Amino acid sequence: MSTDDFPTDSPAIVTCGLPYANGDLHIGHLRGYIGADAFSRALETLGQEVAYVSGSDMHGTPVAVNAEQEGVDPAEFALEWHEQYEETFPKFNVEFDNYGHTHDETNTELTQEIVRTLDEEGYVYEKEIQVAYDPDADQYLPDRYVEGTCPYCGAKARGDECDEGCQRHLEPGEVEDPKSTITGNPAEYRERTHNFFRVSEFADYLTEFLDGLEGTSNARNQPRQWIEEGLQDWCLTRDMDWGIDYPGSEEEDVVLYVWVDAPIEYIASTKQYSERVGTEEYDWERVWKEDGEIVHVIGRDIIQHHTIFWPAMLEGADYNAPRAVAATGFITINGKGLSTSRNRAIWAEEYLEEGFHPDLLRYYLTTTGGLQQDVDFSWDAFQEKVNGELVGTVGNFWYRSLLFAYRNFEGTPDADVSEEVEERIEGAIGEVREAVNDYSLRGIGQAATRLAQFGNEYIQRNEPWKLTDDDPEKAAQVIRDCVQIAKAVAVLLEPITPEKSQLLWDQIGEESDIADAGLEAALETPPRNFEEPGELFEKIEDDRVAALNEKLEERVAAAGDEETESDETDSDEAGDMADDETTADDLEPLLEDRIGFDEFQDLDIRVGRIEAAEGIEGADDLARLEVDIGFETRQVVAGIKQLHDLEELPGQKCILLANMEPAELFGVESNGMVLAAGEEADLLTTHGDADVGEKVR
Ligand SMILES: [Zn+2]
């Protein structure tokens, strides 16, 4: 990989976290697949050679458990889901260059080869460990077959991850008070020999890797903390028969842990693509072993797998390191956690059955928040965004300018684009380039929408309808400008709304595929003649939204009482977004130790007003704030750079711990601490008339 801006001379690969072949897709899943698809398309418009691949994750205990419950073979069970996903993705204009699955031959062979290499290089050793065992069921209990308490944070945890607490990966034998999920009985621990990967040896390598890693800041910062706390070696094997055999253990019921073969599918899927199109066209070995630009789009619940285990495996087996890991936030529904067990979800099938165009959802999911922010979905917000931005701004501009051009000039008038408009389009192209290099899908959407907004203002300001009789030449020039802007908006929006952009492309008489056009096409002259245009976006009416809300509420209410523990196995293991809402189990445990009022009085907490906010150069997350606390203005450093729009902070009231010891961060003195809560650093404030400088008591 390189550190040059995109486009580079090396081939790129974009991947998204593998969907776990275990249940219906919902918009929480789609955010990642659509996001990665849009990013891959955006790279292509920059002229970057790129392929987009993924595959279904077929292995692991949730598939085994659910297949067992249905009395079918796990392979058959997983394959059915795999086929359903393969059919669903194109319906959302998610177009993979290759979509495989982890149980196919390519992935099986490649996985065994990589594990053999790690073994030969001395990165694998055998160790006796305690493994949970259910004496009644007479079987070992890997991963999801066991539940208990997280040894790190005390939350309720699955056998292999603290999914509701600190999100840590848990090794076999780590979970406390283990209970069998088969019988519900307490599990015994029995001694077994397993193979371990020496992840701990990669600490220095990984530290350096993270320093250069692009993508979202959460994918760098969380793993840094894990490395500081000390990396543990990683158990590679499990006592079960569903999965890929550990090389040499084909006779026994010992398979590789699902998280070994799942990411290797990224490589296997690339290889299948190469084999299909020929290595002249796209060379998987160059990408994965030489200089490819590897970009992983994942859910933030699987950061550890992609920034610790995966790069260590790649390095140990002599593969190329990822250039970027972009970890998306979760999707909430009406402000609450998406929950499949409570049926508080918008299902992929359901969305399509409602007859909404896929590009509307693509636009909503990619432009509503930054990549690492949680995005709330409600039918009301969806309606507002579609009606306001796609119908009101983009669609309105497209339709009025093309209709005017068609009626008065039968297409694009013979005139040159004005300098003003050319510069404005060039500016928008620059914004898109920058957004792609910042891994900001929202930035791409905003550049396009703002250009359409400019188009609306431009047509309003120049009133071509008044000019057609008096000054036909001027009218021709204004309309020529508008057709160019319409074309440019279509080009810039293509990664996000590929089908709608293609329709606009067809309307202005272009005969090619807009996906092949590239950003420069935004400035190229459109064909001379085109047919009467139609409207490309349709307003969503209020009664429609009311009906959809009612339907969702009824469904959630109906599911409310039926939730059971076993629903846990519905959700996803390897490839995608977590989907349970915040419960008390998610929260940090309350402190047992009480303090006296005097001790509280020692904290000098004041109401402040943010006067200025700016990012600190070289620090991913830190912002420098100037906070007025009545007596004086304090300079404070806060870890909120990625989580807030800094431009919007000045003027806002905040709460400041004023007698915090001063500290220096990245060369900037911090004299106090602004208080915030939650993963998104929600800033505390006051809601009444408390004046700046008043003490919190
Ligand atoms: Zn935990």
Side-chain angles (χ1 to χ4, degrees), residues 150-155 157 162 165-168 170:
C150 173
Y152 298 97
C153 73
C162 179
C166 62
Q167 308 266 316
R168 273 190 183 77
L170 298 179

Side-chain angles (χ1 to χ4, degrees), residues 213-220 323-327 371-372 438-439:
L213 187 68
E214 295 179 7
T216 49
S217 62
N218 52 356
R220 289 185 291 274
R323 170 171 172 150
V325 174
L371 212 52
Q372 61 178 319
D438 285 343
Y439 301 85

Side-chain angles (χ1 to χ4, degrees), residues 421-576:
V421 165
E422 195 167 277
E423 277 173 15
R424 184 62 188 77
I425 294 174
E426 277 167 3
I429 293 175
E431 285 170 33
V432 168
R433 278 184 205 286
E434 202 172 308
V436 176
N437 278 293
D438 285 343
Y439 301 85
S440 169
L441 297 171
R442 183 167 60 162
I444 299 172
Q446 282 174 341
T449 316
R450 278 199 297 257
L451 182 60
Q453 183 60 39
F454 167 81
N456 279 319
E457 284 158 19
Y458 185 80
I459 203 166
Q460 211 60 40
R461 160 157 55 98
N462 287 290
E463 302 179 310
W465 46 90
K466 286 187 181 167
L467 298 168
T468 43
D469 294 332
D470 304 343
D471 190 351
E473 217 167 286
K474 173 77 178 155
Q477 187 260 306
V478 170
I479 289 303
R480 171 72 184 81
D481 279 346
C482 291
V483 177
Q484 193 69 50
I485 298 169
K487 177 176 174 171
V489 171
V491 169
L492 303 189
L493 260 191
E494 187 275 335
I496 293 173
T497 60
E499 202 176 330
K500 293 292 186 183
S501 285
Q502 181 68 50
L503 286 171
L504 190 282
W505 199 244
D506 297 342
Q507 284 191 356
I508 58 170
E510 297 281 358
E511 283 171 354
S512 59
D513 192 342
I514 191 171
D516 300 333
L519 277 181
E520 307 72 38
L523 286 161
E524 286 163 11
T525 308
R528 172 64 190 87
N529 291 103
F530 53 80
E531 305 289 310
E532 181 169 356
E535 292 194 58
L536 291 180
F537 293 105
E538 207 178 305
K539 207 173 151 199
I540 303 172
E541 301 298 337
D542 291 346
D543 52 355
R544 187 83 201 281
V545 171
L548 287 163
N549 279 334
E550 199 176 326
K551 207 165 142 183
L552 180 62
E553 272 165 37
E554 279 172 10
R555 209 174 64 194
V556 173
D561 301 328
E562 291 162 21
E563 199 203 355
T564 60
E565 290 293 316
S566 69
D567 284 329
E568 291 285 325
T569 54
D570 278 354
S571 62
D572 318 290
E573 179 165 328
D576 48 25

Side-chain angles (χ1 to χ4, degrees), residues 1-6 8-10 214 291-293 323:
M1 70 166 161
S2 68
T3 50
D4 299 341
D5 274 2
F6 292 116
T8 69
D9 295 333
S10 308
E214 295 179 7
D291 63 345
E293 316 280 12
R323 170 171 172 150

